[in-house]
Amino acid sequence: MSTPETLKKQTCTSHCPCGTYCPLSAALSLIGGKWKIPIICALKQDGPTRYNELKRKITGITNTMLASSLKELESNGLICRRQYDEMPVRVEYSLAGPAEDLIPVLSQFALWGKQMHDQAAPAARE
Amino acid sequence: MSTPETLKKQTCTSHCPCGTYCPLSAALSLIGGKWKIPIICALKQDGPTRYNELKRKITGITNTMLASSLKELESNGLICRRQYDEMPVRVEYSLAGPAEDLIPVLSQFALWGKQMHDQAAPAARE
DNA sequence: CAGTATCCTCGTGGATACTG
DNA sequence: CAGTATCCACGAGGATACTG
């Protein structure tokens, strides 16, 4: 497993009042971007999943984005890439331990989002 | 308090496998962007804070970004803007209830980020 | 099948100047 | 003091074609 470069030097990009190293910014950067969360959700729901399977399930994602997102997630230790040298090649991605730990946090987050939504427009339900 | 437009129609921008409405994406979008988190952190630490005070504390932020971020946060009900009609004008921003509820979630998140950091490079401490 | 390689668009965010 | 108004740079993300 390679060393997560992004984590080492994350310092709130020096705009955050919380000192030199900000674990919050660091955490956010790990799941930032447009596709990381959807990927994590998909892997959480369905377990080990192949590349093209992911591409089908995550509506709208392109090869470029899927490949690069998977690479980042893997290099940060959030997902595992397992390659079976069959013919043709088979590659499966799955959530790694740290990502599993993240799930409950994301759930809390989603819960908060839901509360926001419900109390914001209790009547204006459409 | 105005109605948060972003919340109403948040649907994972249709790339997330979690159905038509995704509270997680909705939540993320509320604190997304480069400066919302730093602003929330600053307000959490120091309580009600004036515009220029915020600008000084949040290193590197510009008027454009501070103003627009504050506006979004306010329109989504995350912060309160209170204006004192003194001379010259005084405006103070503070965290609203929903944002207070968010703090513990963010703390959990930060904790996870810290764990990631510690276990990722336990020796390569610099 | 599981990706790379290129090229390009567009929106976030930055710089600067100005104002009620 | 607390912002707006403009203009602009850049990089994340998208489209398309190709490959081991």
Side-chain angles (χ1 to χ4, degrees), chain A residues 53-79:
Chain A
E53 228 177 322
L54 276 175
K55 205 169 98 182
R56 252 174 276 116
K57 288 192 175 157
I58 303 176
T59 320
I61 198 170
T62 60
N63 271 331
T64 328
M65 279 299 101
L66 181 52
S68 75
S69 302
L70 287 173
K71 198 165 283 179
E72 285 180 46
L73 286 171
E74 192 203 0
S75 82
N76 286 328
L78 289 182
I79 64 175

Side-chain angles (χ1 to χ4, degrees), chain B residues 91-110:
Chain B
V91 177
E92 281 187 352
Y93 292 91
S94 56
L95 290 189
E100 296 282 1
D101 299 340
L102 180 62
I103 300 291
V105 183
L106 291 184
S107 299
Q108 280 305 110
F109 211 144

Side-chain angles (χ1 to χ4, degrees), chain B residues 50-52 71 81 91 93:
Chain B
R50 306 178 60 167
Y51 181 91
N52 278 316
K71 198 165 284 180
R81 192 194 110 114
V91 177
Y93 292 91

Side-chain angles (χ1 to χ4, degrees), chain A residues 40 44 77-78 95-107, chain B residues 108-109 111-113 115-116 119:
Chain A
I40 291 175
K44 173 62 185 174
L78 289 182
L95 289 190
E100 297 282 2
D101 299 339
L102 180 63
I103 301 291
V105 183
L106 290 184
S107 299
Chain B
Q108 280 305 110
F109 211 144
L111 209 60
W112 176 81
Q115 285 169 5
M116 288 294 290
Q119 79 176 39

Side-chain angles (χ1 to χ4, degrees), chain A residues 50-51 71 81 91 93:
Chain A
R50 306 178 59 166
Y51 182 91
K71 198 165 283 179
R81 192 195 109 112
V91 177
Y93 292 92

Side-chain angles (χ1 to χ4, degrees), chain B residues 1 9-10 12 30 37 58 61 69 74 89 113:
Chain B
M1 187 183 307
K9 44 187 171 187
Q10 192 75 30
C12 290
L30 291 182
I37 293 268
I58 303 177
I61 199 170
S69 301
E74 192 202 0
V89 204

